[in-house]
Amino acid sequence: MSGEMNDITEAPLLVAARGGRPSRTPVWFMRQAGRSLPEYRKLREGTAMLDACLDPELVCEITLQPVRRHDVDGAILFSDIVVPLKAAGVDLDIVPGTGPVVAEPVATRADVDRLPELHEEQVRPVVEAIRLLNAELGDVPLIGFAGAPFTLASYLVEGGPSKHHERTKALMHGDPRLWHALLDKLAGITAEFLRVQVAAGVKVVQLFDSWAGALSERDYREFVLPHSTRVLGGITGVPRIHFGVGTSELLPAMREAGADVVGVDWRTPLDVAVRRLEAAAPHLPKPVVQGNLDPALLFAGLPALEREVERIKREGEAAAGHIFNLGHGVLPDTDPDVITRAVELVHRTR
């Protein structure tokens, strides 16, 4: 992996992201770096998640582990969607087994006004990690990422993960002016975090709107789309992937926000997603999609896995370009050898 930089523009992931036909179907997996790997668990022992995310050498090594082990076509920067909030000064922690927990949830105008801006020096460890990674990765593109304003807002308003997002939706509909002020603040933080990553040398970015699937299309367009559009509109020079879970009804709007590549979860076949995207915007070029193997199928045995990989590759041919991925993240108990086998199956040509 290390050594002189090759002409990375022809890396399969970047060719597919531009809507081209690469030398092989590119594949990477959300959460490929992390809990499924024994080498990760050993390395992380005794280090809190947010501390690990702000340790450049640790970030570099954890990001490289799945590239070495699985031969994936992209390296996803080891981080967490709440890292820019923490770095900016928001009092939160990632509680093992729970997720991000916010000390003082946002409920009032004063709470929104208190939210800090993000400055580049606050995420210098991330910049340093990207520098280290680009020296090691050679022609494997590094993918930067951030959480989208809606998903960050949900954590801040709920105080942590939520099943029903009732406080979030209550604020959104009950005080739209306050809601938009909150998302405006968060769009600024997210845009700056991505800008810093691109300037440092990531080759692709992915905006995760993990919880956007909790919304109707009408609510998404009114309360979320303008802010995600601002974030993605500030990114130039690299492909922009936009992904959320349970977002079948939102795919055209998520593309509208400024996505070059639309991430699709496992609930919607890729060819169906392509048809939906084309019908919504016939004036735009043929869409590029990413996805969408159900993470649970990595437990189903090799015959089932092979069958599903081939089906998804066939369905992906409907798009201008297809980046193979899961329909969400790698589950913690996944056998790493099965992940490696899945990559081999994706790369195999018939």
Side-chain angles (χ1 to χ4, degrees), residues 29-33 35-36 295 298 326 328-332 334 339:
F29 295 127
M30 290 177 275
R31 294 193 185 136
Q32 65 187 16
R35 298 167 294 178
S36 63
L298 293 170
L326 299 179
H328 198 195
V330 172
L331 297 167
T334 307
I339 300 173

Side-chain angles (χ1 to χ4, degrees), residues 268-285:
T268 310
L270 292 181
D271 52 350
V272 173
V274 169
R275 286 199 298 274
R276 197 169 288 174
L277 291 165
E278 286 180 318
H283 59 289
L284 291 179

Side-chain angles (χ1 to χ4, degrees), residues 144-226:
F145 79 90
F150 170 76
T151 291
L152 294 181
S154 182
Y155 279 116
L156 288 177
V157 173
E158 302 288 344
S162 170
K163 278 188 178 174
H164 304 294
H165 309 278
E166 58 268 36
R167 289 180 183 149
T168 306
K169 291 179 180 181
L171 176 61
M172 183 188 290
H173 287 275
D175 194 341
R177 185 175 292 183
L178 180 58
W179 172 261
H180 284 295
L182 171 59
L183 262 71
D184 187 57
K185 241 351 184 1
L186 293 172
I189 290 172
T190 301
E192 176 64 5
F193 191 46
L194 287 176
R195 186 201 65 76
V196 166
Q197 291 178 59
V198 172
V202 301
K203 302 301 187 289
V204 185
V205 295
Q206 176 157 308
L207 187 66
F208 281 87
D209 213 349
S210 312
W211 308 131
L215 300 175
S216 68
E217 184 190 3
R218 184 186 61 248
D219 285 354
Y220 179 88
R221 287 186 175 279
E222 181 177 348
F223 296 113
V224 178
L225 181 60

Side-chain angles (χ1 to χ4, degrees), residues 6-16 18 21-24 139 141:
N6 299 320
D7 180 13
I8 199 165
T9 57
E10 291 309 306
L13 179 70
L14 298 181
V15 173
R18 295 195 299 267
R21 296 290 173 180
S23 55
R24 66 185 189 185
D139 58 2

Side-chain angles (χ1 to χ4, degrees), residues 254-279:
M254 291 179 77
R255 186 189 193 193
E256 233 176 89
D260 303 301
V261 181
V262 179
V264 184
D265 81 0
W266 69 90
R267 297 169 179 87
T268 310
L270 292 181
D271 52 350
V272 173
V274 169
R275 286 199 298 274
R276 197 169 288 174
L277 291 165
E278 286 180 318

Side-chain angles (χ1 to χ4, degrees), residues 94-101 155 159-161:
I94 296 176
V95 177
T98 301
V101 174
Y155 279 116

